Amino acid sequence: MDNTLIISDMHMPYHHPDAMAFIKANKDWYGLEKAKCTGDVVDLHTSSFHLIEYGCLSPKEEYQAAYKGIQQLSEMYPELTVVLGNHDILTYRKAKLAGISEDHIKSYNDVYGVNWKWVDKDYFKVDKYNNCLLTHTMGANTQSNARNHSHNSIQGHHHSVFNISYFADTEVLRWSMSAGCLIDPKQPAFNYAQGATLKRPIIGMGAIIDNEPRLLRMQLKKNGRWDNSV
Ligand SMILES: [Fe+2]
C-alpha cells in the first residue's frame, strides 16, 4: 500500500498547539501523501454527557475553533478517512436522546466543510498477504489485539497507549498498533483524565511505511511544546 500517515485522536479544538506543524513535518519527511485518522477528530466537550469544565470554550467558540483546525488538516489531507470516535458522535447521541430524526441532522462533511470519508471502521489491504482493520478502539492491550484478531489492526482512543505489538504462531505473524494521541494535555477539557491514574497521554501518531507499522512520537521540551524534530 502507499505510505500512509495514521493521525491519532486530535480532539479539536483542544489539539496540541504543535499538532498541525508536526503532521506537516512528518508528511513531508516521510512522503506520507495519504492519511487515515483513528477518530475523535473533535472533542465536543460542550456536548459531553459529563460536567462541563470551567475554562472551556462556549459551544459556538468550540465549533468555530474546531472548524478552523479541520480546515487546516483538510488542506494537507483533502481525502482523509476517519473512523468515528466516541467524541465525534456526541451530538448524534444527544439528538437521538432528544428524539430528533436523523433527517434533521447535517452530515459531518456539511458541519465541518470538508469532503472526507467518515466510517465506523476501515478495513484495507497492507500487502498481498495482509489486511488491516482501523477502528477507534479495541482493547487497551495491544498484544491481545494482535493475538485475538485475524488481521493486523490499528486503534486510537487509549491516549496513554503508544506501541506496536506482534503476535506469531505456526502460520501467521500479525501486528497491532495503538497510536497515542495529539491532544493538548493542559486543556481543562481533559481534567476528567487526571487524579484517578498517573498515566499521562503520549503525544504522537502512527504510519505505515513500506508496508510496515511505525510510531512517530512528538519529542517534547520541558514546557510541553514540540522540539521540531522528526
Ligand atoms: Fe480520544
Side-chain angles (χ1 to χ4, degrees), residues 8-11 38-43 85-87 136 156-159 180-181 183 190 192:
S8 58
D9 298 28
M10 295 189 74
H11 288 252
T38 62
D40 284 358
V41 174
V42 287
D43 190 79
N86 52 304
H87 283 258
H136 179 61
H157 187 68
H158 305 286
H159 296 183
C181 64
I183 68 167
F190 302 112
Y192 69 87

Side-chain angles (χ1 to χ4, degrees), residues 6-219:
I6 306 296
I7 299 170
S8 58
D9 298 28
M10 295 189 74
H11 288 252
M12 290 191 249
Y14 301 122
H15 51 296
H16 192 281
D18 301 313
M20 294 298 174
F22 181 65
I23 290 169
K24 178 75 167 62
N26 280 278
K27 176 179 190 256
D28 293 346
W29 182 262
Y30 292 107
L32 302 166
E33 293 304 318
K34 295 197 173 170
K36 299 174 183 287
C37 176
T38 62
D40 284 358
V41 174
V42 287
D43 190 79
L44 287 172
H45 182 67
T46 53
S47 298
S48 168
F49 286 86
H50 303 291
L51 292 173
I52 305 304
E53 291 287 343
Y54 293 122
C56 288
L57 301 171
S58 72
K60 183 80 173 174
E61 291 167 337
E62 183 187 82
Y63 168 67
Q64 289 176 332
Y67 186 97
K68 190 175 160 193
I70 286 175
Q71 290 299 309
Q72 290 173 333
L73 190 58
S74 181
E75 281 177 25
M76 287 188 269
Y77 290 110
E79 296 180 357
L80 187 68
T81 296
V82 179
V83 290
L84 290 163
N86 52 304
H87 283 258
D88 300 314
I89 65 172
L90 278 169
T91 43
Y92 281 82
R93 288 183 60 200
K94 282 284 174 82
K96 202 184 281 184
L97 196 65
I100 296 170
S101 162
E102 59 188 341
D103 301 309
H104 291 268
I105 302 171
K106 283 189 191 176
S107 71
Y108 290 103
N109 280 339
D110 285 344
V111 170
Y112 297 117
V114 290
N115 192 25
W116 291 347
K117 194 173 148 197
W118 306 78
V119 292
D120 290 325
K121 59 183 181 230
D122 185 41
Y123 192 60
F124 58 92
K125 202 166 192 57
V126 176
D127 57 35
K128 62 181 176 177
Y129 305 112
N130 297 290
N131 294 326
C132 181
L133 178 68
L134 171 67
T135 60
H136 179 61
T137 179
M138 297 169 230
N141 187 320
T142 316
Q143 170 61 213
S144 296
N145 295 334
R147 175 184 287 268
N148 294 340
H149 296 287
S150 58
H151 41 69
N152 301 321
S153 53
I154 303 173
Q155 68 171 343
H157 187 68
H158 305 286
H159 296 183
S160 306
V161 185
F162 190 66
N163 56 34
I164 299 167
S165 279
Y166 292 82
F167 169 76
D169 63 12
T170 314
E171 301 238 341
V172 302
L173 190 153
R174 291 191 295 270
W175 52 260
S176 183
M177 176 196 293
S178 294
C181 64
L182 288 168
I183 68 167
D184 177 2
K186 294 179 178 171
Q187 292 291 337
F190 302 112
N191 284 357
Y192 69 87
Q194 293 178 356
T197 171
L198 290 175
K199 282 184 188 169
R200 292 167 54 207
I202 299 176
I203 312 303
M205 53 189 182
I208 300 176
I209 299 174
D210 297 333
N211 297 341
E212 291 295 326
R214 292 278 303 271
L215 290 169
L216 308 173
R217 185 171 67 87
M218 185 190 286
Q219 185 69 46

